[in-house]
């Protein structure tokens, strides 16, 4: 089996026979799996199952490029089905972030303009880009959310709905591939880097900084919430008298 075909094979496999380490969830038309070489702390893939009733011709779902060059209504439908599952995955990720790290950070949903594997797959990937499998410039640039090689689902949906003849629907590899060679720079602060190890250290610092900020912000919000509660109690006491407030609080 060639590596490029691995996803297509998962898409054809009965979900209940796929290892639980790989499969997260399945529906009639889709499966959600873990990326085998995750490029961030959270990295899942949504694939349409095969054979698929979503399209009239299976070759349409071999890639985003094929999908967008075919019937636009079918394309929109496929993207909506994949997108719905991506939102479910994202919700799970955000919950897990909160539980394990005490804050939530951005989760990106999108496609690679030029995929390295066959069969269309939607990436759901956290924006930290912290992973030992993220090794080189090509890896980083393919997930850098502002560069353009990673095409956000929301962008594809707007191209499709803005006009079926939108030129951006023509995914031209020759236009996208050079993006992978772009000089390294942090997608958050634009600082440039000569080498991956330095960029990776920097990404880790960025994530820690975001965490510190978010945790502080959450604490402030909680504090404000508590203050707000006291204010309301005070106002209520003024209006209806202490006794009534006390009895309300007792649930009497
Ligand atoms: Zn991919
Ligand atoms: Zn930065």
């Amino acid at each position: 089996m060639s590596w490029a075909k691995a996803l297509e094979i998962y898409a054809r496999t009965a979900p209940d026979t796929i290892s639980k380490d790989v499969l997260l969830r399945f529906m009639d038309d889709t499966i959600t799996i873990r990326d085998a070489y995750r490029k961030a702390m959270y990295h899942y893939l949504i694939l349409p199952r095969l054979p698929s009733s979503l399209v009239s011709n299976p070759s349409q779902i071999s890639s985003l490029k094929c999908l967008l060059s075919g019937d636009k209504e079918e394309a929109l439908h496929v993207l909506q089905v994949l997108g719905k599952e991506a939102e479910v995955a994202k919700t799970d990720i955000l919950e897990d972030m909160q539980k394990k790290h005490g804050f939530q950070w951005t989760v990106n949903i999108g496609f690679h303009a030029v995929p390295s594997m066959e069969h269309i797959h939607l990436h759901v990937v956290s924006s930290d880009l912290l992973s030992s499998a993220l090794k080189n410039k090509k890896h980083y640039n393919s997930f850098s959310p502002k560069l353009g090689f990673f095409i956000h689902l929301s962008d594809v949906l707007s191209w499709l709905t803005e006009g079926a003849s939108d030129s951006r629907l023509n995914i031209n590899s020759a236009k996208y591939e050079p993006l992978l060679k772009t000089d390294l720079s942090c997608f958050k602060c634009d600082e440039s880097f000569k080498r991956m190890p330095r960029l990776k250290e920097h990404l880790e610092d960025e994530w820690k900084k975001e965490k510190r900020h978010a945790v502080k912000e959450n604490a402030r919000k909680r504090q404000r919430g508590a203050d707000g509660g006291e204010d309301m109690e005070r106002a209520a006491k003024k209006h209806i008298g202490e006794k009534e407030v006390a009895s309300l609080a007792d649930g009497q």
Side-chain angles (χ1 to χ4, degrees):
M1 162 184 118
S2 77
W3 170 243
K5 291 258 181 207
L7 295 181
E8 196 187 313
I9 288 166
Y10 278 130
R12 281 192 196 286
T13 304
D16 52 1
T17 66
I18 300 176
S19 158
K20 291 280 170 290
D21 296 336
V22 175
L23 183 79
L24 289 153
R25 175 181 152 96
F26 69 93
M27 300 294 280
D28 286 346
D29 293 312
T30 60
I31 57 170
T32 303
I33 61 173
R34 287 178 207 281
D35 191 293
Y37 299 94
R38 67 179 171 85
K39 301 297 191 294
M41 290 167 74
Y42 298 89
H43 189 180
Y44 303 157
L45 304 174
I46 319 290
L47 332 178
R49 288 173 64 185
L50 289 168
S52 180
S53 56
L54 296 172
V55 285
S56 39
N57 179 344
S59 71
Q60 283 168 277
I61 47 174
S62 60
S63 69
L64 180 67
K65 182 187 168 76
C66 291
L67 185 70
L68 296 181
S69 60
D71 182 86
K72 300 297 179 282
E73 261 175 53
E74 280 189 339
L76 187 60
H77 179 56
V78 170
L79 294 176
Q80 283 165 342
V81 169
L82 296 178
K84 195 174 152 213
E85 284 306 298
E87 286 300 331
V88 173
K90 180 177 165 176
T91 302
D92 288 350
I93 290 172
L94 291 173
E95 250 172 50
D96 200 74
M97 286 173 167
Q98 191 65 47
K99 206 166 73 193
K100 292 209 176 101
H101 304 281
F103 81 113
Q104 300 176 339
W105 59 102
T106 304
V107 174
N108 291 310
I109 297 174
F111 299 95
H112 281 152
V114 189
S116 51
M117 299 185 78
E118 290 170 32
H119 194 56
I120 193 167
H121 52 283
L122 181 58
H123 292 267
V124 181
V125 57
S126 56
S127 62
D128 50 272
L129 299 185
L130 296 179
S131 164
S132 54
L134 190 119
K135 291 196 164 97
N136 54 44
K137 183 189 270 191
K138 190 180 154 189
H139 289 158
Y140 175 74
N141 282 339
S142 71
F143 285 102
S144 181
K146 290 192 298 190
L147 198 60
F149 189 89
F150 184 89
I151 303 179
H152 295 267
L153 175 65
S154 54
D155 288 336
V156 189
L157 289 172
S158 69
W159 301 343
L160 268 172
T161 46
E162 274 162 27
S165 59
D166 196 308
S167 65
R168 291 169 298 187
L169 293 173
N170 173 23
I171 307 285
N172 179 356
S173 310
K175 179 183 130 194
Y176 285 99
E177 264 160 355
L179 292 173
L180 294 177
K181 300 201 170 91
T182 309
D183 288 343
L184 293 174
S185 73
C186 170
F187 67 89
K188 283 188 183 160
C189 71
D190 294 325
E191 185 176 344
S192 45
F193 292 88
K194 289 254 183 298
R195 294 171 50 248
M196 271 309 279
R198 272 297 298 130
L199 172 61
K200 284 171 66 90
E201 282 170 22
H202 177 81
L203 290 174
E204 192 154 352
D205 290 344
E206 285 280 17
W207 182 76
K208 286 179 181 159
K209 196 164 80 186
E210 193 175 343
K211 176 172 179 164
R212 275 196 305 275
H213 180 79
V215 168
K216 213 192 288 171
E217 199 55 35
N218 285 346
R220 195 176 302 154
K221 262 185 223 151
R222 266 199 305 277
Q223 184 59 40
R224 219 180 289 140
D227 291 350
E230 280 166 25
D231 286 348
M232 262 163 61
E233 201 181 313
R234 224 173 293 134
K237 278 177 183 165
K238 219 167 118 189
H239 279 105
I240 57 176
E242 295 241 0
K243 244 197 217 148
E244 285 88 340
V245 172
S247 60
L248 278 176
D250 290 344
Q252 289 165 2

